[in-house]
Amino acid sequence: EVEITGNIADENDDVLPSTITVTVPTTATFTVDSNGALKAPKITINNQGDEPISVIAHSFKDTTTNGGITVVGDDQMTDPNTVDRKTVTLKLGGNGETVALKSNAGTSKGIYKLDGSPAQETDAVIGTVRKDQPLNLTLSGTAGTSGAALKTAVNDRFTLILKLKKA
């Protein structure tokens, strides 16, 4: 059984709005090597629908209470040589805005403008994904390099929530 949907475009070649069909990865990683270089693969979002979709950075949280990694703002990483190796900065960007991520406790959403002020939803549209044009989100950052390389590897878990809406 194959379900077929037919569309007839208007004079501007527009069709009636349809369902949002977007593929978003459910996991992502970043790694800091022994030299303090932060590396992360691209996060690719695909749109199989007809309408462009805005991707919004909604929230970022540290999900562990005694995690080994602290995510701070650029204002706390002015000189990585003076910052603990378990401390990193993270930025998330696409073809729109780039936002800073922080693992703050409390009611903060953990999404900030690059100047350090809390981002509102309109500030956090990190990209638009169009049909058959994948959106590649980039996770980048800096890691502290104070002291010797760690004797024992450390990991932590964070949750990034993205909102999708018709552009």
Side-chain angles (χ1 to χ4, degrees), residues 115-126:
D115 68 7
S117 62
Q120 303 302 314
E121 185 170 305
T122 55
D123 303 321
V125 177
I126 54 178

Side-chain angles (χ1 to χ4, degrees), residues 39-150:
K39 299 173 184 169
K42 295 200 182 308
I43 302 167
T44 301
I45 300 174
N46 292 292
N47 180 0
Q48 293 84 26
D50 293 322
E51 295 188 50
I53 304 298
S54 294
V55 179
I56 300 162
H58 181 67
S59 66
F60 177 79
K61 296 186 190 241
D62 188 340
T63 59
T64 55
T65 55
N66 295 324
I69 300 171
T70 303
V71 183
V72 299
D74 282 340
D75 60 325
Q76 294 176 276
M77 186 73 73
T78 54
D79 181 3
N81 294 320
T82 63
V83 178
D84 181 272
R85 287 183 175 269
K86 297 181 202 172
T87 303
V88 300
T89 64
L90 291 176
K91 293 181 184 74
L92 180 68
N95 60 13
E97 296 291 326
T98 296
V99 295
L101 308 175
K102 294 183 192 178
S103 57
N104 290 351
T107 59
S108 169
K109 287 187 172 189
I111 306 290
Y112 294 82
K113 295 188 220 178
L114 294 181
D115 68 7
S117 62
Q120 303 302 314
E121 185 170 305
T122 55
D123 303 321
V125 177
I126 54 178
T128 302
V129 58
R130 292 175 170 71
K131 182 176 183 162
D132 300 325
Q133 295 177 5
L135 171 63
N136 289 312
L137 300 181
T138 303
L139 189 62
S140 61
T142 306
T145 57
S146 178
L150 299 177

Side-chain angles (χ1 to χ4, degrees), residues 138-160:
T138 303
L139 189 62
S140 61
T142 306
T145 57
S146 178
L150 299 177
K151 297 281 186 209
T152 304
V154 174
N155 74 358
D156 205 341
R157 293 192 179 271
F158 304 92
T159 299
L160 171 66

